[in-house]
Each structure stands twice: as structure tokens, then as C-alpha cells.
């Protein structure tokens, strides 16, 4: 039985949740045995239960959970088929862990013998191996006994007749326990308020906050109405000075309006006070100190380090920091995995540390603190640090392409350790090597709308930082506008905002970029990243480049998208900063990249909440196809042959406005010379020019096989059908007449031909 009363209660709650999820997963797995996602989810739950059991020295649960992981690992790798009988065994493992968990909580003997469980599992494996060997036997042996008449319990002469579906219970009566028996064994000795119910209360409090903002707006409207009436009443009285009845009416109405105004203001103040008190009270009920989970970590570190022949001391700071109960519950499992990973992978053996000039005793520091928006937990060790070469090797082993790895920054490489199945350990042990631990960390933190980052210096240790929101019901957002639509951007992702001079945008590797705080970051419009290309049903705000040259600025946000990455986001307008209620993501928005949910603003308008990490990923993957086309076009170089200086200059400006790089030539001969000395993606030429006209230039170009596919566009004053025919015969791809010249037509022609 767990001696610590607080830890006993926490383990009762946590083990119940893990076991319930294991049962639900097995139900799904029974229907679709080869579903990798379900197997991985079961893997994570079993791994977390094993870690919690290990921390509390519950060796029996740890052993069964570890064997349960083995079964799933063999199924995932294809070494074992998840037959109905194998799933039955897994059910019985879960039942046994449930009885053992009840024993740890209540102190009543469970009657579970772990040795018998392992023996039953080995018997199951022996039966499956024998069955596999029988299926692979020669045809003569299989022909001696007609198909379908073999005793299903037979597994070879040297093996005892194996039980089928329910016979394993005969080997160990405690393996299979009905769910009703497990429920009966749990007594209700405390009253527990579910987090879900507190979430509902918090959501209602958030709705009250929205209502408060709307009432505040109505108060402002009332002030404006009162001012307007005062002006109207004054004007009426001046025009009808002798009309005492009108003066009386206006005076009475003014008095009534003033009373309503004061009452509304008083009601608004009262509503603001009450809603704030309710929200604080609910938050207070949900808050628990982080020492609740910190207190058991030093013992776990001690036991793990002794097992591996290491000496590691633990320093805990900030245990008095309080966090939302759900945040605390979800943080426990990631924290255990991080600490276990640090002890196993991070610290060298004492002799090795002495060789490097380090103290023989390692130190792991666990620190918590609270910011204005987040609860932050840092786990820092002074071990060997993260070996990026080992990460690269493991990434190659897991199927990552060499080109992809070569383009990754150090921060991106470090981020790979959170991928499912990723491990740098060369072997699998009961402590590590399965590639599950840090995947659990990433999954849990992401589910909480938090972030996890890793910093490491080779030879000097590693720091993992988890940042979680204070509450999961409300959040602070920046309201921005793009193409006439308002969006909510969580403020914790915004590094800074400023007015960007669009002339400072430059191109690098075919992408737009800007300088920010000494770094080069990619830049994109929010409307482009969200793929909302059609906006003809909206009132579009004018784009900055459509305005005058002196107004070529745009609001710009520097966004932290996770993993040490940043990007710049251009929006049309910065509208407001608000506290909002975070609504669950609806099925309509689930498959829209860059959107994490929706909310209702104080004005009553529905507003979509942006997901900055997904926006950053879309930008790295070239986002919208239209954006990719634009980037592709910006890299193209066009040669313009025109003898008129005015027309040449105007054509150059137009094409540069489309995003092309433009080189000009004064006639056909000049163009032919420049074409041979450079690389161009298209040729735009007039026909009537001195020295060599456009038709002769086109013919000369087409005679060179090197330019056989070069698009040639003739732009000329000659508009007769005969002139067009001659242009086509010379080898031009398009013919545009200047009398009917249209910039849009030129742009569409260029885009189609290149």
C-alpha cells in the first residue's frame, strides 16, 4: 500500500484513467488489430502507467505493464499477430493491473501472482510459436491429418495442451476479472469534483466575461445617445423658446435618460465585479501547488541513478507555484518521462564525469515559475548534453532523407527527439529505448495548448522547458484583420509587432524574407497562408502595395512557431487585444490548416482562432499553391527589347510589378547579344525597331536550339491579321497589340507561358 496519502489518491485517479483508456483502446484494437495509431496510443498509456508505478516502487504493476508493452511492440513491428487469443491475454493483463492498483490504494490483497501472469504469457507465446511452426510444416505432415480436424488445443508433442479462449484463467485465476468485480472493489471514500465540471463552470464564467464586455459596449453607446439627445434638446428649446410644454417634455426625457444611464453604469460595474469574482473563485478551486508532483521526483531520481551506477542529486525550486488542476494532472506524466530520460541518457557514469573534469555527482534541477500567461517548468541537467550526430543517425534509421536532415537547423534537429518511435538508445531496456517517453511529453503538452522546447550544449547538459497556459478555458488574444475578416492570434506566440516597410522585403532561395533582431525570417501574408484566395464576397481592404508609395507599410507580427523557429506575418490591421473564451474546435474547422478553434468576441461576432505552429509549417512547405506560384514567378528573368525609352521604362516597371527580374535592350541586335550572355525565362519584344526588328530577332532566336523552348511575346502597334500571322510564323508564342494593351492580359500571358 502507498504510504503517502496524497500520492495514494493521485495514483488512484491516474491509474484509473490509464486503465480505462487501455480498455477502450483494446476494444478498438479488437475490431481493427493492425491500426498503428491505436497501438501507439496503448503504448503511451501503458508506458505512463509503468512510469508512475516505478516512481512509487510498485514493482508488480511495473512488470506487467512492461510485458504489456512488449506485446504491443512485437505487434507494431510485425513480429506478432494480434489474434483474438492474444487480445484476450492483454485484457487479462489490464484486469490484473487494476487489481494490483487497488491493492496499492486500499491495502487489501489482490491475490494476483505476477509469476503466474508471466507464465501464462509465456504459454501463450509458446502456443503461437508452435502454431506458426505447424503452419510452416511440410505438406506431407499436413496431408496426414485432414484440414479442420486437428485439435485446436494441440501445439506439439512436447508441449502441454494449450488452453484456448478462456483456459488461461485456469493457469492463473486472477488474470481474468469482470469489470463489475473491479468496480465493486473500489470504495467511494471521498467526494471528487470532476475537472470536466469545473471546465464547464469556467466556460460559463468566460461567457459571463463576454456578456460583461457587451454590456460595457452598450454603456458606451448609452453615453453617446445621451450626448446626442442633449444636443437635440438644446436645439429644440432654442427654436421653440415659448413652448413650455416642449421644454417640460425634453426635461423629463433628459432626466429619465440620465437615470437609465446611471443605472446601466451601476449594473455594469456590479456585473464586472461579480464576473471577476466568480472567475477568480473557480480558478482558485482548481489550483494546486506543483509540489504535489515534485515531491516524489527526488526519490525516483535516486532509485533510477542507483540502478545504473550513477549518483544524481535533485534540486527542486518553485514547488509552491500553483497551477490549474487539469494542467497539473496532465503535466505529471511528461515530467516523469523527462526526468527518466535525463537520468538514463543525460548523465555519464561517475568515472566518465571525472575524466571530463566534472563533479562525480550529477545534478538535475527542476524549477517552476509563473509568468503573466503561462506556467513554466524547466528540467535542467549537467550531463553530456544532446548528441546531434546521434540524433542524425537515429533520424536516418527512422527513414529521414539525407537532404532533409542537411537543411535542418540545430533547433530543428533537437526537436526530432519528440517524434513517435524516435530513440538514440542502441538497445531496448525496461527504462528506455522504445521511443515512447518524449513522444508522450510532446503529445500531452500539445493537447494542453502548450509548448515544449529543448536547449542543449554538448558536454554541459540539457534543458527542457514546458510552457503551459494558466487556464484552458480562456486566453488572451490579439485580434487582427486580413481581407476584411477578423482572426484571433494567441498573444503567447507574438514576439513583437511593428509597421514593416514593404521595401525592406527581399528574396532568398525563392522566398520573401525580412531582417528581425539580427535574424533572417520568412514573411508571408495571413490571407495567403490560410489559402483564402477567393474574397470577392468580402469587402477587401486595400493591399499596401496598391496604395501610394509613401504608404507602403503593413502591420507585421514576429511569430514564435515553436522549435526555435520564427516567421513574420503580414496582416491588414491590428484591431484589439482581448480575453476570450476558447471554444472547442468544431468538425467544420478541424481540417482547415492554421485554425485551432473559434470564439465569440465582445461584439457578438464569431472569430476563428489561429494556430501559429501550423501557419509556420504551411509557410515552410510553401503554403498555398498560389504562394508557391508567386515565389516561382519572382525568380524568373525577362528580357525586354524596345527602342522607345518611354515604352521600355514602362514595360520594365510593369513586369517588375509582377515580380519578374527585367533586363532591357534597345533593339534586336542588343537583345540578341544580351540573350547570349545571360539566362532568361522569356523574351518580350517590339517589332518595329532599328538595326534588327522583332520578327528578325524572333527568327534568329528560334534558329538556335538552345532557345527552342524560350517563350517569345511580341508587343507591337501592328494590329492587322497579316502582321499577327507573320509573328506566329517567325516563331512567337504570343502577339499583343499596343492599341489594346492590357497589363492583366500581359500578366496572364506571361504566367501561362513560363
Amino acid at each position: 500500500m502507498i504510504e503517502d496519502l496524497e500520492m495514494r489518491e493521485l495514483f488512484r485517479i491516474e491509474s484509473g484513467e490509464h486503465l480505462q483508456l487501455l480498455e477502450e483502446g483494446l476494444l478498438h484494437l479488437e475490431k481493427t488489430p493492425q491500426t498503428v495509431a491505436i497501438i501507439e496510443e496503448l503504448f503511451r498509456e501503458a508506458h505512463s502507467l509503468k512510469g508512475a508505478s516505478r516512481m512509487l516502487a510498485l514493482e508488480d504493476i511495473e512488470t506487467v505493464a512492461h510485458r504489456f508493452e512488449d506485446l504491443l511492440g512485437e505487434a507494431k513491428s510485425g513480429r506478432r499477430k494480434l489474434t483474438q487469443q492474444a487480445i484476450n491475454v492483454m485484457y487479462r493483463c489490464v484486469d490484473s493491473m487494476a487489481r494490483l492498483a487497488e491493492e496499492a490504494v486500499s491495502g487489501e490483497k489482490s491475490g494476483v501472482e505476477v509469476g503466474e501472469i508471466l507464465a501464462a504469457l509465456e504459454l501463450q507465446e509458446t502456443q503461437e510459436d508452435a502454431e506458426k511452426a505447424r503452419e510452416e510444416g511440410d505438406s506431407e505432415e499436413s496431408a496426414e491429418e485432414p484440414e479442420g480436424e486437428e485439435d485446436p488445443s494441440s501445439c506439439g508433442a512436447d508441449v502441454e495442451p494449450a488452453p484456448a479462449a478462456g483456459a488461461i484463467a485456469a493457469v492463473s485465476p486472477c488474470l481474468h476479472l469482470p469489470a463489475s468485480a473491479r468496480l465493486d472493489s473500489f470504495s467511494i471514500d471521498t467526494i471528487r469534483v470532476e475537472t470536466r465540471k469545473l471546465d464547464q463552470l469556467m466556460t460559463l464564467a468566460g461567457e459571463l466575461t463576454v456578456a460583461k464586455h457587451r454590456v460595457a459596449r452598450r454603456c458606451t453607446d448609452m453615453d453617446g445617445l445621451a450626448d446626442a439627445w442633449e444636443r437635440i434638446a438644446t436645439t429644440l428649446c432654442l427654436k421653440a423658446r415659448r413652448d413650455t410644454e416642449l421644454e417640460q417634455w425634453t426635461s423629463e426625457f433628459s432626466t429619465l435618460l440620465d437615470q437609465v444611464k446611471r443605472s446601466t453604469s451601476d449594473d455594469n460595474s456590479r456585473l464586472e465585479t461579480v464576473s471577476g469574482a466568480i472567475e477568480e473563485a473557480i480558478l482558485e478551486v482548481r489550483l494546486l501547488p506543483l509540489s504535489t508532483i515534485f515531491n516524489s521526483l527526488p526519490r525516483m531520481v535516486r532509485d533510477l541513478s542507483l540502478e545504473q551506477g550513477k549518483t544524481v542529486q535533485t534540486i527542486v525550486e518553485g514547488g509552491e507555484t500553483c497551477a490549474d488542476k487539469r494542467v497539473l494532472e496532465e503535466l505529471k506524466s511528461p515530467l516523469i518521462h523527462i526526468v527518466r530520460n535525463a537520468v538514463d541518457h543525460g548523465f555519464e557514469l561517475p568515472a566518465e564525469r571525472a575524466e571530463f573534469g566534472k563533479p562525480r555527482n550529477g545534478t538535475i534541477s527542476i524549477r517552476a515559475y509563473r509568468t503573466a500567461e503561462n506556467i513554466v517548468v524547466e528540467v535542467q541537467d549537467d550531463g553530456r548534453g544532446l548528441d546531434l550526430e546521434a540524433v542524425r543517425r537515429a533520424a536516418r534509421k527512422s527513414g529521414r532523407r539525407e537532404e532533409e536532415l542537411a537543411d535542418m537547423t540545430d533547433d530543428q534537429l533537437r526537436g526530432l527527439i519528440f517524434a513517435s518511435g524516435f530513440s538514440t538508445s542502441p538497445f531496448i531496456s525496461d527504462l528506455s529505448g522504445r521511443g515512447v517517453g518524449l513522444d508522450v511529453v510532446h503529445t500531452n503538452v500539445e493537447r494542453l495548448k502548450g509548448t515544449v522546447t529543448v536547449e542543449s550544449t554538448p558536454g554541459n547538459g540539457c534543458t527542457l522547458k514546458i510552457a503551459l497556459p494558466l487556464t484552458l478555458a480562456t486566453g488572451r488574444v490579439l485580434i487582427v484583420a486580413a481581407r476584411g475578416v477578423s482572426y484571433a492570434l494567441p498573444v503567447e506566440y507574438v514576439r513583437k509587432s511593428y509597421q514593416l516597410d514593404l521595401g525592406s522585403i527581399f528574396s532568398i532561395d525563392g522566398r520573401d524574407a525580412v531582417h528581425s533582431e539580427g535574424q533572417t525570417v520568412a514573411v508571408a501574408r495571413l490571407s495567403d497562408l490560410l489559402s483564402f484566395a477567393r474574397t470577392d464576397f468580402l469587402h477587401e481592404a486595400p493591399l499596401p502595395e496598391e496604395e501610394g508609395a509613401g504608404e507602403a507599410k503593413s502591420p507585421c507580427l514576429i511569430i514564435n512557431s515553436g522549435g526555435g523557429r520564427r516567421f513574420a506575418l503580414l496582416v491588414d490591421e491590428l484591431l484589439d487585444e482581448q480575453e476570450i473564451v476558447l471554444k472547442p474546435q468544431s468538425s467544420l474547422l478541424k481540417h482547415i490548416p492554421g485554425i485551432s478553434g473559434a470564439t465569440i468576441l465582445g461584439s457578438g461576432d464569431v472569430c476563428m482562432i489561429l494556430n501559429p505552429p501550423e501557419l509556420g509549417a504551411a509557410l515552410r512547405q510553401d503554403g498555398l499553391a498560389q504562394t508557391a506560384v508567386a515565389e516561382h514567378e519572382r525568380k524568373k528573368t525577362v528580357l525586354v527589347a524596345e527602342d522607345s525609352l518611354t515604352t521600355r521604362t514602362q514595360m520594365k516597371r510593369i513586369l517588375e510589378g509582377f515580380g519578374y527580374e527585367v533586363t532591357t535592350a534597345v533593339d534586336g541586335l542588343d537583345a540578341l547579344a544580351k540573350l547570349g550572355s545571360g539566362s532568361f525565362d522569356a523574351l518580350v519584344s517590339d517589332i518595329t525597331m532599328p538595326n534588327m526588328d522583332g520578327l528578325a530577332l524572333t527568327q534568329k532566336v528560334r534558329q538556335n536550339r538552345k532557345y527552342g523552348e524560350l517563350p517569345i511575346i511580341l508587343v507591337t502597334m501592328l494590329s492587322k491579321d497579316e502582321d499577327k500571322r507573320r509573328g506566329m510564323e517567325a516563331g512567337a508564342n504570343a502577339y499583343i497589340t499596343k492599341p489594346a494593351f492590357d497589363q492583366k492580359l500581359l500578366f496572364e500571358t506571361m504566367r501561362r507561358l513560363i
Side-chain angles (χ1 to χ4, degrees):
M1 182 177 177
I2 302 172
E3 295 181 1
D4 189 303
L5 181 61
E6 187 177 29
M7 293 306 302
R8 187 191 312 164
E9 177 64 14
L10 285 176
F11 182 75
R12 182 181 73 82
I13 296 170
E14 181 186 6
S15 62
E17 292 173 349
H18 287 311
L19 290 166
Q20 180 181 352
L21 291 172
L22 285 173
E23 283 193 352
E24 293 175 357
L26 285 175
L27 286 172
H28 291 295
L29 198 62
E30 198 168 15
K31 298 176 183 177
T32 55
Q34 304 304 321
T35 306
V36 176
I38 298 177
I39 294 176
E40 289 182 348
E41 183 64 28
L42 287 170
F43 220 120
R44 281 193 290 265
E45 296 299 331
H47 199 72
S48 296
L49 180 59
K50 184 181 76 171
S53 303
R54 186 185 186 93
M55 185 177 67
L56 297 173
L58 302 175
E59 296 180 359
D60 288 346
I61 301 179
E62 180 188 353
T63 301
V64 178
H66 182 69
R67 193 66 190 89
F68 189 89
E69 281 186 322
D70 287 336
L71 292 174
L72 290 169
E74 292 170 1
K76 183 179 177 181
S77 63
R79 297 195 304 272
R80 177 179 300 279
K81 291 183 179 180
L82 286 179
T83 62
Q84 182 61 52
Q85 192 167 351
I87 292 178
N88 288 341
V89 172
M90 297 171 75
Y91 271 119
R92 290 160 189 158
C93 285
V94 174
D95 293 339
S96 300
M97 287 189 287
R99 289 297 298 270
L100 290 169
E102 170 60 18
E103 178 182 340
V105 171
S106 66
E108 298 179 3
K109 292 295 182 182
S110 65
V112 176
E113 294 293 337
V114 175
E116 293 183 3
I117 298 174
L118 299 180
L121 293 174
E122 291 176 4
L123 182 60
Q124 169 67 18
E125 291 181 359
T126 303
Q127 180 186 2
E128 291 180 0
D129 292 341
E131 181 69 19
K132 184 177 180 180
R134 184 186 64 79
E135 292 176 355
E136 294 176 353
D138 59 84
S139 58
E140 293 180 0
E141 291 180 357
S142 61
E144 291 177 1
E145 188 169 358
E147 183 179 354
E149 296 183 3
E150 183 177 347
D151 184 358
S153 66
S154 174
C155 57
D158 297 330
V159 181
E160 292 292 331
I168 292 184
V171 178
S172 177
C174 62
L175 273 176
H176 182 60
L177 296 171
S180 59
R182 295 203 312 274
L183 291 173
D184 291 341
S185 67
F186 280 87
S187 61
I188 303 175
D189 52 0
T190 59
I191 297 176
R192 178 189 175 202
V193 179
E194 295 181 1
T195 304
R196 175 179 55 83
K197 294 181 179 179
L198 290 177
D199 284 342
Q200 291 174 348
L201 285 175
M202 194 66 201
T203 300
L204 292 174
E207 296 290 355
L208 188 60
T209 301
V210 172
K212 176 191 69 177
H213 291 318
R214 299 188 68 175
V215 171
R217 286 176 178 269
R218 300 296 82 78
C219 287
T220 303
D221 295 342
M222 184 67 71
D223 291 339
L225 178 63
D227 293 340
W229 168 249
E230 192 66 32
R231 291 192 298 270
I232 293 173
T234 302
T235 303
L236 288 174
C237 291
L238 288 175
K239 290 184 176 181
R241 295 179 179 178
R242 297 181 180 180
D243 194 337
T244 56
E245 187 175 5
L246 178 61
E247 290 180 358
Q248 183 180 356
W249 288 349
T250 56
S251 177
E252 290 176 356
F253 188 81
S254 297
T255 302
L256 177 61
L257 187 60
D258 189 54
Q259 291 176 353
V260 173
K261 176 182 172 182
R262 287 198 302 269
S263 299
T264 304
S265 179
D266 292 342
D267 291 343
N268 178 57
S269 299
R270 180 62 179 166
L271 177 62
E272 186 171 356
T273 302
V274 172
S275 64
I278 290 175
E279 187 172 347
E280 289 180 7
I282 296 174
L283 283 173
E284 189 68 27
V285 170
R286 295 171 59 94
L287 293 181
L288 287 173
L290 285 171
S291 59
T292 306
I293 56 177
F294 281 2
N295 288 343
S296 299
L297 295 175
R299 170 66 186 276
M300 185 184 76
V301 171
R302 174 189 176 277
D303 293 345
L304 290 175
S305 59
L306 288 178
E307 287 181 13
Q308 299 188 24
K310 302 174 181 178
T311 306
V312 181
Q313 62 178 348
T314 307
I315 299 176
V316 177
E317 300 177 3
E320 70 282 357
T321 304
C322 291
D324 186 281
K325 178 174 171 56
R326 183 186 162 193
V327 172
L328 201 67
E329 290 175 344
E330 296 286 350
L331 179 62
K332 180 182 177 182
S333 183
L335 198 56
I336 291 174
H337 287 300
I338 289 175
V339 172
R340 287 164 59 93
N341 194 73
V343 174
D344 186 36
H345 293 289
F347 289 102
E348 311 93 335
L349 292 171
E352 188 179 355
R353 290 179 63 85
E355 290 179 4
F356 292 137
K358 293 182 177 182
R360 295 179 66 87
N361 296 339
T363 301
I364 183 169
S365 300
I366 304 168
R367 175 173 173 254
Y369 56 92
R370 182 171 174 168
T371 67
E373 302 292 340
N374 298 102
I375 293 291
V376 181
V377 178
E378 296 179 354
V379 180
Q380 182 178 18
D381 66 73
D382 63 349
R384 59 171 57 93
L386 197 60
D387 185 352
L388 292 184
E389 284 306 315
V391 172
R392 283 192 179 91
R393 289 194 297 269
R396 293 189 196 101
K397 208 171 181 181
S398 64
R400 297 267 184 174
R401 293 180 294 106
E402 191 65 40
E403 298 81 4
E404 181 183 2
L405 293 174
D407 291 337
M408 285 187 174
T409 64
D410 288 350
D411 285 340
Q412 292 171 329
L413 282 172
R414 284 190 282 265
L416 291 178
I417 66 176
F418 298 108
S420 176
F422 190 92
S423 176
T424 57
S425 178
F427 58 93
I428 296 176
S429 67
D430 61 345
L431 185 61
S432 67
R434 299 175 184 270
V436 178
L438 292 180
D439 175 35
V440 172
V441 175
H442 183 266
T443 301
N444 285 23
V445 171
E446 191 177 62
R447 186 165 60 240
L448 289 172
K449 300 183 179 66
T451 59
V452 55
T453 56
V454 57
E455 299 174 0
S456 178
T457 303
N460 291 322
C462 186
T463 301
L464 272 81
K465 181 186 294 185
I466 296 176
L468 299 173
L470 297 177
T471 176
L472 303 177
T474 61
R476 196 78 183 167
V477 297
L478 183 65
I479 308 299
V480 301
R483 297 289 189 183
V485 181
S486 297
Y487 301 94
L489 183 65
V491 295
E492 59 266 25
Y493 291 100
V494 181
R495 184 173 181 86
K496 73 171 184 177
S497 63
Y498 65 103
Q499 287 290 327
L500 174 67
D501 182 358
L502 296 179
S504 65
I505 298 177
F506 58 95
S507 180
I508 180 171
D509 294 332
R511 299 190 181 191
D512 283 346
V514 294
H515 290 300
S516 174
E517 299 178 341
Q519 295 185 11
T520 299
V521 297
V523 60
R525 291 189 180 280
L526 175 58
S527 55
D528 290 340
L529 291 179
L530 291 177
S531 303
F532 293 160
R534 287 196 63 234
T535 57
D536 48 320
F537 55 91
L538 299 171
H539 174 67
E540 295 190 30
L543 296 179
E545 61 263 29
E546 295 171 354
E547 301 172 354
E551 301 176 352
K553 292 181 179 291
S554 175
C556 180
L557 303 168
I558 302 299
I559 305 297
N560 291 324
S561 60
R565 301 186 183 96
R566 297 179 192 170
F567 68 95
L569 191 64
L570 296 179
V571 298
D572 295 340
E573 193 175 0
L574 302 178
L575 299 176
D576 195 7
E577 185 176 337
Q578 294 185 12
E579 188 82 18
I580 63 167
V581 180
L582 302 174
K583 299 288 186 181
Q585 189 173 15
S586 71
S587 57
L588 293 175
L589 301 177
K590 192 171 295 183
H591 302 293
I592 299 181
I595 301 295
S596 63
T599 188
I600 300 176
L601 301 178
S603 61
D605 297 330
V606 176
C607 178
M608 286 180 284
I609 303 172
L610 299 174
N611 187 325
E614 288 188 3
L615 291 177
L619 179 57
R620 291 192 299 273
Q621 297 167 4
D622 292 337
L624 169 75
Q626 180 180 348
T627 305
V629 170
E631 291 175 350
H632 186 65
E633 289 173 345
R634 278 193 293 272
K635 295 187 294 184
K636 301 302 181 182
T637 303
V638 178
L639 176 61
V640 174
E642 172 63 59
D643 62 321
S644 168
L645 175 60
T646 303
T647 305
R648 187 166 66 243
T649 303
Q650 181 67 10
M651 190 70 69
K652 185 175 186 293
R653 288 180 177 178
I654 292 172
L655 292 174
E656 286 179 340
F658 293 154
Y660 297 105
E661 294 181 10
V662 180
T663 300
T664 59
V666 296
D667 56 31
L669 282 177
D670 188 22
L672 197 61
K674 290 180 177 177
L675 189 64
S677 61
S679 177
F680 299 94
D681 300 288
L683 169 62
V684 178
S685 176
D686 186 17
I687 289 183
T688 307
M689 295 184 295
N691 299 320
M692 180 184 290
D693 63 25
L695 294 178
L697 172 63
T698 302
Q699 292 172 346
K700 285 284 186 181
V701 170
R702 288 297 183 228
Q703 291 172 2
N704 191 331
R705 293 183 179 180
K706 179 181 177 181
Y707 306 119
E709 301 297 326
L710 179 69
I712 300 177
I713 303 171
L714 296 178
V715 181
T716 177
M717 292 290 293
L718 304 177
S719 58
K720 295 181 180 179
D721 291 341
E722 177 63 17
D723 297 323
K724 295 177 182 178
R725 183 184 61 78
R726 291 171 57 206
M728 295 299 107
E729 290 177 348
N733 299 94
Y735 194 103
I736 299 176
T737 57
K738 290 180 181 178
F741 181 73
D742 186 342
Q743 292 187 23
K744 185 177 179 181
L745 175 61
L746 177 61
F747 173 72
E748 293 297 334
T749 303
M750 296 286 290
R751 187 169 64 172
R752 177 171 54 85
L753 290 177
I754 299 182

